[in-house]
Amino acid sequence: MFGLYRLLSHLALPVVLAQLATRCVRDSAYRPRISERFGFGREQSDQSTIWIHAVSAGEVIAISPIVETLSEQYTDLRFLLTATTPSGSEEVKRRFGDRVSHVYAPYDLRGCVQRFLKNQNPKLLILVETELWPNLIDLVHRANIPIYVVNARLSEKSASGYQRIRGLTSNMLQKITHIACQYEDTADRFKALGATENQLSVTGSVKFDIKLPDQLEQETENLQDQWCFGRPTWIAASTHAPEEQIALLAHQRIQAEINDAFLILVPRHPPRQHEVEEVCNALGFAHSTISKSPTRVPVLIVDRMGILLQVLGMGSAVLIGGSFQGTGGHNPIEPAICGIPMIMGRDRHNFAEICSRFEEVNALKIVNDVEDIAQAVISLLTNKQAATEMANAAYKVVELNRGAKNQVLNLMHSWITQAIDQSDSKSG
């Protein structure tokens, strides 16, 4: 099956180019640095390189404290942090500036990966969460570069998908040295796909160890002063179509009870701003975007990347998107850390284990439809004690589950030491 994948990926270049062109039209953030996606790196160095790949902003945020610590410990090494999306790239630049090297990860085309490896010459590869690409893993393995996965998560739905290509999945897993899983359910799914007991460990999720930026509170207060005007505020965060429409229909019902209620829409992909504005217009909502001068409107659309944490602090309730249309939900940990009561739809398979921990202590309200959302938000906006209790319960879950960072840090320390020792022995 791997041979078939190699053949198909070789023939896929026109498709990749067409998809890239489409993305560039829809989202101007994809236009810069296109050459990096084909393996042409901007930076080369004689220093030994530790390659860490985090797909998007969430993975970059999760791994950043660990990268920060390691880069301070190993000042003679070069840390290369790659991403796939513009939001991930922006997060790397915002958090690290020039303190780590950064390029986009190459497409999973053999020529692109080979070019990338030649240019960057990493000593080991650490994948954040579960970003498994057959050509990438095969070529890194062939170059005798150890491959590790940290903070790995594998939902039941994703595992079923990998099971359908079992031969290809098993081929990849055999080439990975170690997988540090968030929870036992993920480890069990990897074992069912062919990973061995010795390849797996369970550390918990490093996202529970996220530290909020020192300036976050002040930045949130500034946004509140500019946009909220003291109004009861709720947020629909990381939404996909048609979730903005669902949130706006709920907002109509909420405004019938709370006349000055304010809704902040945070699309998962900010370039969808115009699409979201069309939905607002269709439902008769005056609105603005956060990149414009502040004005008093009933609906605000966040059309900027990298400010979700600041925006979360503006509200008294958050509806977590991706949970009404098949995506599998988005991570509730960041809202919990920010101290905002959480509401979510029933589609949350991407974070089933994490969500269950919040549900068990009534820190996450599960809703079915527009009416459920409206009633939940009205309750949280009008009952401050209930909202506070819910937020406190969520934060306790966060506190109880901290500690994965140190476990992953220790693992990565040992992997880096081993890789550098092996490299030195070969060169000697």
Side-chain angles (χ1 to χ4, degrees), residues 316-370:
S316 299
V318 61
L319 176 69
I320 300 172
S323 57
F324 289 91
Q325 41 61 269
T327 296
H330 292 295
N331 200 334
I333 295 176
E334 287 181 6
I337 293 175
C338 290
I340 179 170
M342 302 177 293
I343 304 163
M344 204 167 183
R346 294 200 172 276
D347 179 20
R348 53 198 188 282
H349 60 260
N350 279 340
F351 297 94
E353 176 64 33
I354 290 174
C355 288
S356 68
R357 293 174 185 239
F358 289 111
E359 287 180 70
E360 287 169 1
V361 296
N362 298 316
L364 175 63
K365 174 72 173 175
I366 305 302
V367 295
N368 295 304
D369 51 29
V370 168

Side-chain angles (χ1 to χ4, degrees), residues 31 58 148 165 175 197 255 319 328 371 425:
R31 295 172 196 167
Y148 302 92
I165 50 170
K175 297 168 183 175
E197 192 81 39
Q255 286 187 314
L319 176 69
E371 190 61 39
S425 66

Side-chain angles (χ1 to χ4, degrees), residues 5 331 378:
Y5 180 87
N331 200 334
I378 290 169

Side-chain angles (χ1 to χ4, degrees), residues 57-108:
E59 291 79 21
V60 173
I61 292 170
I63 202 66
S64 285
I66 293 173
V67 175
E68 189 83 49
T69 300
L70 290 171
S71 63
E72 291 173 357
Q73 289 178 342
Y74 297 97
T75 56
D76 57 334
L77 301 181
R78 171 179 176 249
F79 285 85
L80 172 64
L81 186 52
T82 61
T84 301
T85 66
S87 62
S89 178
E90 286 299 314
E91 198 66 42
V92 174
K93 290 186 284 187
R94 188 174 75 84
R95 288 176 174 266
F96 292 101
D98 60 1
R99 289 180 294 121
V100 302
S101 297
H102 168 63
V103 293
Y104 280 119
Y107 286 126
D108 196 45

